[in-house]
Amino acid sequence: MDLIQLSSRRDFLKHAAAGAVAGAFVAHEAVNAATTPERKHHWGMVIDTRRCVGCEACVIACKIENKTPPGVYYTVVTREPLPGGGNDRPVFMTKPCFHCEEPPCVPVCPVNATYKRKTDGIVVVDYDRCIGCRYCIAACPYGARSFDFGDDYELSPAAGEIVSPEYDQYRVRTPEGSPVGNVRKCTFCLHLQDENGAYDREAGRWPACAKTCPGHAIHFGDLDDPESDVSRLLRERNAIRLKEELGTEPSVYYLL
Amino acid sequence: MMLKRAFWAVGLLGLVPFTVGVYLRLTTGHEQANYGSIVPWGLWVAQYIYFIGLSAGSFLLSSLVYVFGVKRFEPIGRLAVFTAIVSLVLALFTIWMDIGHLERFWHVFAYPNAVSPMAWMIWLYTSYFILLLAEFWLLMRRDLVVARSMPGWRGIVARVAALGAHGASDESLAADMRKVRIIATVGVPLAILFHGGVGALFGVLASRPYWHSGLFPIIFLVSALASGGALLTVASAIFQEGWREHRQMILDLGKLVLGLLLLDALLQFSEILVGSYGGEPGYVASLQLSLAGPYWYVFWIGQVGIGLALPIVILATPLGRNPRLVTLACGAVVIGFIGVRLNIVIPGMSVEEIAGLSRAVDDPRYATDYFPSAFEWLITFGIGGLGLILFGLGEVFLPLSRHLPAMVPARANEANRFAVPLLQPQLVPVAVATNRRRFLTTAAALGGTAVGATLVGTAVNVMLPQTLLRPAQADRIRQYGREAGEWIPSCCNACGGQCGILAHVVEGNVVKIEPNPWNPNNYSNISSDFFADYSAETGVRQGAAICPKGNASIFSLYDPDRITRPMKRTNPRKGIDEDPGWQEIGWDQAVTEIADRLRPLRESGHPEELLWWSEDHSFTHPQQDFCALFGTPNYSNHSNLCDVERKASFKMAMGDERPLADFIESKYVILFGWNPTSALKWIHLARIITRFIEAGGRLVVVDPYLSDTAAKGQEWVPIRPATDGALALAMAHVIIRDRLYDADFVRDWTSGFNEYAALVADKTPAWAEQITTVPAETIERIAREFATTKPALADSWSGPGQHTNGVQGGRAIALLNALVGTIDRPGGMIIPDKRGAKHASVVPEKPIEAPRFDGLADLPWGHGSGVYGRGFQRLLDESGPYQPKAGVCVFQNLVMSGPAGGRIAEALAKLETFVVVDTNESETARLADYLIPGTHFLERYDLNSHWVTWSAVGLRQPVVGATRRQTSPWPYRGGIFGQMAEYEFVAALGRQLGLRNKDGAEFFSVGAVSGEPVEDLTAWYEEQLSNELKKGAPGVTLDEMKALPGAVWVDDKKLTAYEKYAAPLKPTLVVDPDGTVYDKPTDDSRRKAQAIVVDGILWTKPEAEGGEKVGRIIAGGAWFTDGDRILSGPRLEGTKPAQIGYAIGGDDPRRGFFTSTGKVQFYNAVFAEKNDANGRPVDAGPVYQPREWMPDAEYPLYLINWKEASHTHTRSQNNQLLVGLKSSNPLIINPATAERYGIADGDEVIVESPNGQTRAVVEVSPRMHPEVVGLQHGFGHRALGRVAKGRGTAISDLNTIRYDPLSGQACHKEICVRVRKA
């Protein structure tokens, strides 16, 4: 094996590698263009804190809808006072996953188990891929994710097997099966979408928290649709998002 | 030797926790770990980065030898690499235990994410691991080849580990070393990237300010070197007898460690300095936790004391010349770094990302506080032990310290086996041996697999759009989805609110409960508001609502603590904590035996000796009918535990006992002691109250506690308990003084105004300030705002009510509405249309003559629900008109719900026969002789007239039923366990007793519609309901009702009507030309003569024949009258005609108010003719009297309680979902009060009254009035179920059996206490 041969082989490898990278890039773009579905919706929420009475009906409705175990809450209601009131007057705030446009939880996942759906912006977790490292929980600035420790309600309702409709997969909860050992989070009840990815409020196909809210504080809808409730509210009222400074671009807004 | 022995002992001992821990991990997953969703990483992650640091540090130090050729450290070269390998193995094992799915570790290669720092780390440590193994093998190869000929295990191990290599020449050694140099050189950047990468993994997270620093990767590196160097020093000191044999090397290592340690300290100091001056709250909070939190010692003792100060003291002083001390110092560093790692991981996460997150739910997984569980410690210690064993095995089997001589003597002396001088590798170029190639092949295969998998994974991930691995399961959607099963409309009864629900039933199980949008109770109490958004197809378009209790009620339906079969007591001793010794019995036996014990009461002519208590809104009619037919007047129900004082207050003021506030049309609302948006009895309250505020209305809440409703209002007025009436009087004072009242309304529609004005003339704001603690200026301002903002309303509920002065206080509040003229007007207090289903009362065989046991008749404003308090007192003292022998309690927990529950229990224990019907074994049930399983609302029928201002009826129907039968003498459908529903049980009991009505019919056997015998108990009740619907406003049958949208009948004709009092009355009586008065028009054949008219007066017959005046001609029409009151019929013997109107001014027949003056009564002298239960005359005006029990020096604090959205009375505390929202009821104390008694937040306190004491946990909050302490009602169970028992505090026993002398209301809130630290 002489030096010339060696160098040409090296060159060949180098060129091949460069070619492969370029090829992969072109292929990727092409495949992407062909296979990436268009953004059809941008589901989001506008939560009116003036209407929230802090009853936590949303918390329970969510738990019953998604059949989540203890320790797993897709939404919670905080009741912290704003500073300066002097009497600790609580401000009630329901806090689902914000389905950020730039979700910090997604890039950190080592196995691509959590991702933002291209069609509608919902951030999901693939229970069959997630290894349960919980890095995404650490990365979420909003505390929107829970780990499924495998805890079950000790006195769990004796009504048959517990089947969660999440992701339309209708998994039966077993001690050793997913989503035990997985990270879980709010999905905007995407299992209630129709085949076109749309919700239907009148048919009850609407996120469980919004559906039960006694104060009607949780507005849900398509932020890309200028005629939607949520878009109208954002136009007409002053909304804020939490921790804007992180650049996460949450899809959940609060009206104060 | 001793050290070594200790080493082996500790190592081997470590295998015990290791085995147990790993076993637990494999069998129970993470269930027993203590981290959660706010602190998702715990001890193991800290341990992981600890070992990773040790590995990287050791390896980098080895590079001094193999890359930079520092000869001084040659003796520890191989040890360093070995240490790096062992540490890495431990690290990887730890993190493997930590991930949720052990079996999916390969996903990191198959589905890699190129931008995840964790993925980088995984690639780096995989490469690093392979490289380490390669380097180590090369370092050991020659010795392994040599050692193959060693006898015993050592030889075997060497033969295996040599991987078939041979060639023990010095040349081959030199070749190895050349390779080693290349590999080690590659390893240096890899190790730096690798461990820096671990730092980056933390550092990149902007969500955790404590970690989010560019210095983090650097600190990780330096600290790795420091800790790795320290470990190496210790290892070489112990294994290589370093302090004896390599004294100088140990001292040099010590100096190196010192330098690294100081550099690390500098970086950390810089990090802390910059971070704390930066003042980012999340960072500061983490730092505070680390420095002064509950685990402060980890920082100060572990990290600073042991890990930094002690080693510096040794290494930087002459002490550092003693190799043993240097070893000690380095050992301290190794230990101290455990603290460093813990303090990176835990405080960084122990700060909630969103304020209040950890308090949002009561769940241990949502805690910011983290301390490892025993299970986590097991794994940690186990892996520590595993590390020692691995080191030890390396020591035994691998010649780490020195190179072996080319040949091993046949009988090598243990002592001089290694007594061979160090071999200096000669850098002689030689050909690569085949064995090496084989090794490289192996390494390449390992690495190649990982790389290949990663490349393929990357390609797949990049090329394909992301989708879930498991697609939607169409068959399961059909089986379980929204379209599966049935959605059955019904009504909730998680509380008394009766909201509409839709129950999703799949395969016979209720899986979800959703709001019923056809039911006005779920939306609005005003018809215009409801119908504005309503269509028959979809109900209200904006959607309806249900509260957390309704949503969670599946958990109470399937509560495993439910009673499923009738039970009979075997223990004759009765007490709450006395085990009843239940014995399961059949329905046949239960019904027969109970009937046998009740029958003698009737047969002896004393059926009144049966007392009956029932819930308010459920299956009351069959129970009332049973009592009537049995012959006891003693049917009582829940209301007098709840709000009968409000009923009395409003009845005294305006003749209606249940006006409903029209929030949505109001502009100014004052609520006294009511928490409607949280207590949420009717779910529409949340909507209409927030909507009225949204529309610009102002909400003022007067309450000793800043309730969750007050939180929604613009103003909270803290007030001393039970002084609300005084505040209302002072407001009236201001309004009248400044002539701000609605003069027209007062003139036309009220009576007694002048007396009232005189009454409040001296009730100045200054007077009220003394009583209420509300500043006079505030009273002035609120009064003016209230009177000048239109429309305004004032409403109250149980806050002011459950006191001995509640009725008159409530009356003063009610009258504020009269002053501003908003009674029965938009935005005011609306008198609801009470038409609904109609209960036709049964008439017994013989009329009941015995008086009620509780002396209800003595109470001037008593309520049909009875006087529980007085009844229990009489039962206990045996001071009633007779002593009852039996009691039946249906769906009530008297012991927990009444004031002085312990006394109530004693009273109930006196009953010879006590039957309790309930779903759970409540405290009251534990006193029963027979415990009958009740039904959950999803298992039974009822009709619910609603809390709205026009007529609507909702159907509650069973959505689930028996899957198996329980035997009974009669057929019935029953609940999920096959148990009888309450109405079925009562009907069965009625049948067994053969109860008949006055027509001689067996009431409980005859269908109400068909009039035919009905055997099936359920069918019998269905006919009852059908009858009530037919005769009531809906006029439909039960089956027709079921078919209505949402199974709700809503009157869309007679909508919310206002100013009904002003409606002119249409005469119904017809006066024939001959002066005879008929009840029906001339052409109606059924008409009957009612009276004759003489000179405008209606007489029963001519005066001369002894006729009576029964009415008169007013405005040209004939009316039955009593004074100016217009009646529904003539006052004849045995009848009591209702007031249907009033002749205003004597000659204007209007509906008026149903009071004795036909108007709103500011003052009524007639009241004073009555006495209250204490024999004291009733005040004619709404006079403020202090409540009976006031605080004194000994018991200086008021104790109040309230209801919140999370729980219903004492009923819901066994529901795990609701307990997840609120698991206990802390006693809330104002900060000033807490300070006075030396109590801090979270303290356990003893709350004492003269009647008893209890324990509570304190929450200090300015939301509470300084003179008051209080808590949410309903906790503190001693029974009910496994979840409820022992949770929180009950205060009932601090009270006496106390009831209001006007209305009979139980006075739950009239307690004075003192509080001290437990």
Side-chain angles (χ1 to χ4, degrees), chain B residues 906-946:
Chain B
E906 285 173 46
L908 292 172
K910 294 204 165 201
L911 294 168
E912 289 170 14
T913 301
F914 184 38
V915 179
V916 170
V917 184
D918 206 327
T919 54
N920 287 59
E921 188 193 4
S922 69
E923 287 76 1
T924 305
R926 287 178 69 83
L927 301 164
D929 297 287
Y930 293 91
L931 174 53
I932 305 298
T935 50
H936 185 274
F937 68 83
L938 293 166
E939 302 168 272
R940 65 174 180 252
Y941 275 116
D942 242 311
L943 295 174
N944 302 295
S945 292
H946 286 77

Side-chain angles (χ1 to χ4, degrees), chain B residues 884-1188:
Chain B
K885 292 193 171 64
V888 178
C889 173
V890 182
F891 203 50
Q892 287 227 285
N893 190 356
L894 303 168
V895 172
M896 284 289 284
S897 306
R903 308 284 287 159
I904 292 172
E906 285 173 46
L908 292 172
K910 294 204 165 201
L911 294 168
E912 289 170 14
T913 301
F914 184 38
V915 179
V916 170
V917 184
D918 206 327
T919 54
N920 287 59
E921 188 193 4
S922 69
E923 287 76 1
T924 305
R926 287 178 69 83
L927 301 164
D929 297 287
Y930 293 91
L931 174 53
I932 305 298
T935 50
H936 185 274
F937 68 83
L938 293 166
E939 302 168 272
R940 65 174 180 252
Y941 275 116
D942 242 311
L943 295 174
N944 302 295
S945 292
H946 286 77
W947 297 97
V948 295
T949 55
W950 79 109
S951 191
V953 178
L955 173 68
R956 177 175 303 126
Q957 55 182 331
V959 304
V960 281
T963 49
R964 57 182 195 275
R965 301 261 161 217
Q966 294 186 10
T967 52
S968 112
W970 303 280
Y972 63 94
R973 252 163 278 162
I976 57 173
F977 310 112
Q979 84 279 27
M980 286 187 187
E982 286 78 353
Y983 40 79
E984 289 154 359
F985 169 67
V986 169
L989 202 56
R991 287 187 187 181
Q992 184 69 20
L993 286 164
L995 299 184
R996 292 168 190 278
N997 64 15
K998 78 170 189 338
D999 301 329
E1002 285 211 17
F1003 178 78
F1004 292 103
S1005 302
V1006 178
V1009 176
S1010 64
E1012 301 293 323
V1014 181
E1015 201 197 356
D1016 186 283
L1017 293 167
T1018 318
W1020 172 82
Y1021 189 60
E1022 285 171 335
E1023 280 205 45
Q1024 287 281 316
L1025 296 178
S1026 223
N1027 192 39
E1028 292 191 9
L1029 285 167
K1030 282 301 269 187
K1031 294 212 164 114
V1036 296
T1037 64
L1038 183 62
D1039 286 338
E1040 288 164 344
M1041 180 83 179
K1042 285 180 181 178
L1044 291 173
V1048 180
W1049 174 82
V1050 187
D1051 193 338
D1052 56 2
K1053 309 284 186 310
K1054 292 188 178 174
L1055 305 175
T1056 300
Y1058 303 99
E1059 298 189 35
K1060 295 178 281 290
Y1061 55 86
L1065 285 187
K1066 288 185 192 140
T1068 54
L1069 298 179
V1070 177
V1071 186
D1072 274 14
D1074 66 353
T1076 311
V1077 179
Y1078 290 93
D1079 57 353
K1080 291 195 166 69
T1082 319
D1083 54 356
D1084 193 322
S1085 60
R1086 291 170 300 166
R1087 73 178 193 159
K1088 282 186 191 144
Q1090 298 283 331
I1092 55 165
V1093 183
V1094 180
D1095 294 337
I1097 303 295
L1098 272 61
W1099 299 84
T1100 49
K1101 50 189 171 181
E1103 190 177 8
E1105 296 170 20
E1108 284 178 58
K1109 284 188 196 175
V1110 290
R1112 60 191 169 96
I1113 300 294
I1114 308 168
W1119 306 91
F1120 297 118
T1121 58
D1122 175 18
D1124 283 341
R1125 298 167 65 209
I1126 298 173
L1127 305 178
S1128 58
R1131 186 180 286 275
L1132 299 173
E1133 201 179 338
T1135 67
K1136 194 179 168 193
Q1139 179 174 339
I1140 56 164
Y1142 202 83
I1144 300 296
D1147 59 358
D1148 187 7
R1150 304 280 192 107
R1151 182 169 142 172
F1153 290 93
F1154 295 156
T1155 60
S1156 65
T1157 59
K1159 297 183 174 181
V1160 175
Q1161 305 177 132
F1162 281 114
Y1163 188 94
N1164 191 340
V1166 177
F1167 294 168
E1169 293 167 10
K1170 301 177 178 179
N1171 288 339
D1172 70 16
N1174 299 333
R1176 194 183 153 277
V1178 178
D1179 288 312
V1183 173
Y1184 169 75
Q1185 294 281 352
R1187 68 183 210 185
E1188 286 172 10

Side-chain angles (χ1 to χ4, degrees), chain B residues 317-364:
Chain B
T317 63
L319 294 173
R321 290 186 206 129
N322 178 341
R324 280 167 200 262
L325 286 179
V326 168
T327 305
L328 174 72
C330 287
V333 172
V334 172
I335 291 166
F337 259 87
I338 299 174
V340 175
R341 298 318 187 194
L342 281 169
N343 263 338
I344 285 170
V345 176
I346 313 302
M349 292 185 300
S350 283
V351 175
E352 49 193 15
E353 304 95 304
I354 301 280
L357 199 55
S358 62
R359 289 178 296 284
V361 288
D362 273 357
D363 191 303

Side-chain angles (χ1 to χ4, degrees), chain B residues 120-137:
Chain B
W120 305 338
M121 189 187 73
I122 290 159
W123 295 326
L124 287 166
Y125 71 55
T126 306
S127 319
Y128 174 71
F129 196 21
I130 292 169
L131 183 133
L132 271 182
L133 288 174
E135 180 177 345
F136 188 62
W137 187 82

